[in-house]
Amino acid sequence: MDFAELTTSPLDIGSIARRVVPPECGATVTLDGYVRRFTKGRETLYLEYEAYEAMALKEMEKLIEQAKAEFEIANVGIVHRTGKLEIGESSVVISVASPHRKAAFAACEWLIRELKRTVPIWKKEVYADGEHWVEGDAATATTMGNETNE
Amino acid sequence: MDFAELTTSPLDIGSIARRVVPPECGATVTLDGYVRRFTKGRETLYLEYEAYEAMALKEMEKLIEQAKAEFEIANVGIVHRTGKLEIGESSVVISVASPHRKAAFAACEWLIRELKRTVPIWKKEVYADGEHWVEGDAATATTMGNETNE
Amino acid sequence: MKLQVLFFGATASISGKRSFQVETDEGMHVCAVFERILIEHPSLTAHKLLFSVNQQYATGEEIVREGDELAIFTAVSGG
Amino acid sequence: MKLQVLFFGATASISGKRSFQVETDEGMHVCAVFERILIEHPSLTAHKLLFSVNQQYATGEEIVREGDELAIFTAVSGG
């Protein structure tokens, strides 16, 4: 089965990977993104993720649809965590099952790249002496009048 | 940290993925292979994996070394289960952490392909009416006098 | 005619607002509405901004309708 | 001179053996030892076989030494 979810609870990679398993596939490929301690040499105390929830879910569902049209894959699960995350905790898990491994690797890689580009979720880094809302790579973002989000 | 292990216990993908995480990386890519119910239309009751343990560990360690020479990755963990496995249980988990996602995807894909080709582990499929030791793809196997295992 | 406008993350933090209403005329293009909002919040224009209408990325060509939900936010940084 | 020989999976199942010893002469190439073992176990030759010496895939050119561990197995099927 496919799923796109937001949650404020810790992510369990194993159970997410397991939910995408169909009986005809023998493997899943899973991307696990997590909070690193250092960003550009600066120490992060913790992160906060905020989502435009209704739109984020729609965009994640679109990505799943596009991935299933583009790659020969069976099932996709995407779960993104929101709220406060400690160092080392998983922020996002994307799991893809496919009859042939190659497609699962390609789809999973495509999905995380597109998620970072299009899904309306933002990360705030909190340091000992301040905080900063991280802004995405402008060059790859979808902007008004620039219909890359078909 | 890197690790290559054999175990008769159930594999916990999440904890394997977590063990490869270094502080400077923000993502891991994990391949999870598991027992499917049907192989070529025939129903499997359960599987048994047997390893030439000492050699399998050496070959897995070689793969980790080669992957770290070939790809820009930080850490690799490979755990293969042996003994009796029920349908849906994980047989192998390969987890790769790298500073850049692309290298982790490429390395993980390379590692599972090479593991299936070179690591001395065999799978027996048990059916209602018999059993069968699966033999690997001869075309890609390493044979005597044919030094593909550098 | 009233429209709902949402800010998130950096845009909410900079403006001190998360949600408010704007009055518009019938038949306006959303790009004109967004321009009007930015005039009220000039500090946002220093950022790379994205725009949505009813939870879809906006082209700017849409004609606003009563009850539409608009949002303005910085380039996304999830994952 | 005695060498240890191991079978696994299909080769163990076909031969009914997992482990046994063979007598060889000093200075033999491992390929000659493997040939001799296969003559004793002709049913194995219907399979695609792999060979190892001391837990390394064999080239066949190795010279056997006392205490070497040889193994014969079918193409691997792990993963």
Side-chain angles (χ1 to χ4, degrees):
Chain A
M1 93 180 219
D2 298 317
F3 50 95
E5 297 171 358
L6 296 168
T7 177
T8 55
S9 304
L11 304 184
D12 177 352
I13 310 171
S15 73
I16 294 167
R18 194 40 54 112
R19 285 168 63 198
V20 301
V21 171
E24 72 275 16
C25 297
T28 57
V29 172
T30 302
L31 180 286
D32 171 27
Y34 41 80
V35 179
R36 39 184 138 183
R37 183 173 298 278
F38 294 97
T39 312
K40 293 167 192 158
R42 197 168 183 191
E43 185 169 5
T44 305
L45 298 184
Y46 63 89
L47 288 191
E48 271 181 42
Y49 281 91
E50 180 178 331
Y52 181 0
E53 295 202 7
M55 182 169 169
L57 290 170
K58 284 185 188 176
E59 288 293 321
M60 289 196 282
E61 282 157 12
K62 269 191 214 167
L63 291 183
I64 292 175
E65 235 176 77
Q66 288 172 27
K68 293 182 79 164
E70 181 81 12
F71 303 96
E72 291 202 17
I73 55 179
N75 289 333
V76 177
I78 305 178
V79 186
H80 202 297
R81 192 165 164 197
T82 59
K84 182 177 174 178
L85 272 79
E86 304 293 342
I87 304 300
E89 288 196 296
S90 293
S91 52
V92 63
V93 173
I94 301 178
S95 202
V96 180
S98 68
H100 302 287
R101 285 193 310 276
K102 201 173 179 58
F105 278 106
C108 191
E109 192 170 1
W110 182 85
L111 282 160
I112 181 64
R113 192 173 67 234
E114 291 300 297
L115 179 144
K116 284 172 170 274
R117 197 175 70 83
T118 65
V119 176
I121 299 177
W122 304 270
K123 174 164 66 176
K124 184 170 73 175
E125 293 175 346
V126 180
Y127 320 109
D129 60 349
E131 55 181 50
H132 170 63
W133 279 105
V134 179
E135 300 185 28
D137 181 359
T140 63
T142 304
T143 52
M144 189 159 72
N146 183 359
E147 299 183 54
T148 56
N149 190 69
E150 61 287 286
Chain B
M1 107 187 201
D2 299 316
F3 49 96
E5 297 171 357
L6 296 167
T7 177
T8 55
S9 304
L11 304 183
D12 177 352
I13 310 171
S15 73
I16 294 167
R18 193 41 52 113
R19 285 168 62 197
V20 301
V21 171
E24 72 275 17
C25 296
T28 57
V29 173
T30 303
L31 180 286
D32 170 27
Y34 41 80
V35 180
R36 39 183 137 183
R37 182 173 298 280
F38 294 98
T39 312
K40 293 167 192 157
R42 195 167 184 194
E43 185 169 6
T44 305
L45 298 185
Y46 63 89
L47 287 191
E48 271 180 43
Y49 281 91
E50 181 178 331
Y52 181 0
E53 294 202 9
M55 182 171 169
L57 290 170
K58 283 185 188 175
E59 288 293 322
M60 290 195 284
E61 282 157 12
K62 269 191 215 166
L63 292 183
I64 292 175
E65 235 177 78
Q66 288 173 26
K68 293 182 79 165
E70 181 80 14
F71 303 95
E72 290 202 17
I73 55 179
N75 289 333
V76 177
I78 305 178
V79 186
H80 203 297
R81 191 165 163 196
T82 58
K84 182 175 174 180
L85 272 79
E86 304 294 339
I87 304 299
E89 289 196 297
S90 293
S91 52
V92 64
V93 173
I94 300 178
S95 203
V96 180
S98 68
H100 301 288
R101 285 192 310 276
K102 200 171 180 60
F105 278 106
C108 191
E109 191 169 1
W110 181 84
L111 283 160
I112 181 64
R113 192 172 68 236
E114 290 299 297
L115 179 144
K116 284 172 171 273
R117 196 174 71 81
T118 64
V119 177
I121 298 177
W122 304 270
K123 174 165 67 176
K124 185 170 73 175
E125 294 176 345
V126 180
Y127 319 109
D129 60 350
E131 55 181 49
H132 170 63
W133 279 106
V134 178
E135 299 184 29
D137 182 359
T140 63
T142 305
T143 52
M144 191 159 69
N146 182 359
E147 299 184 56
T148 56
N149 190 67
E150 62 287 283
Chain C
M1 197 174 77
K2 279 185 168 27
L3 303 177
Q4 186 72 17
V5 183
L6 304 175
F7 287 161
F8 293 93
T11 57
S13 170
I14 293 161
S15 68
K17 291 181 190 167
R18 302 191 69 82
S19 161
F20 56 98
Q21 290 198 319
V22 290
E23 274 289 334
T24 63
D25 305 322
E26 299 271 352
M28 276 180 81
H29 282 98
V30 296
C31 59
V33 180
F34 282 124
E35 267 168 39
R36 192 184 289 182
I37 297 166
L38 291 180
I39 289 166
E40 302 283 312
H41 299 87
S43 54
L44 295 183
T45 58
H47 297 258
K48 172 78 175 177
L49 297 173
L50 303 179
F51 304 87
S52 69
V53 179
N54 296 331
Q55 295 133 34
Q56 305 280 354
Y57 281 105
T59 65
E61 299 302 307
E62 301 89 343
I63 303 298
V64 291
R65 279 181 244 181
E66 179 79 38
D68 274 355
E69 178 179 293
L70 275 53
I72 302 180
F73 42 83
T74 54
V76 304
S77 57
Chain D
M1 196 176 77
K2 279 183 168 27
L3 303 177
Q4 186 72 16
V5 183
L6 304 176
F7 287 161
F8 293 94
T11 56
S13 170
I14 293 161
S15 68
K17 291 180 190 166
R18 302 191 69 80
S19 162
F20 56 98
Q21 291 197 319
V22 290
E23 274 287 333
T24 63
D25 306 321
E26 300 271 351
M28 276 181 80
H29 283 99
V30 297
C31 60
V33 181
F34 282 124
E35 266 168 38
R36 192 184 290 181
I37 297 165
L38 291 180
I39 289 166
E40 302 284 312
H41 298 87
S43 53
L44 295 182
T45 58
H47 297 258
K48 172 77 176 178
L49 297 173
L50 303 179
F51 304 86
S52 69
V53 179
N54 296 331
Q55 297 132 33
Q56 305 278 355
Y57 281 105
T59 65
E61 298 302 307
E62 301 88 344
I63 304 296
V64 290
R65 278 180 245 180
E66 180 79 39
D68 274 356
E69 178 179 292
L70 276 52
I72 302 180
F73 43 81
T74 54
V76 305
S77 57

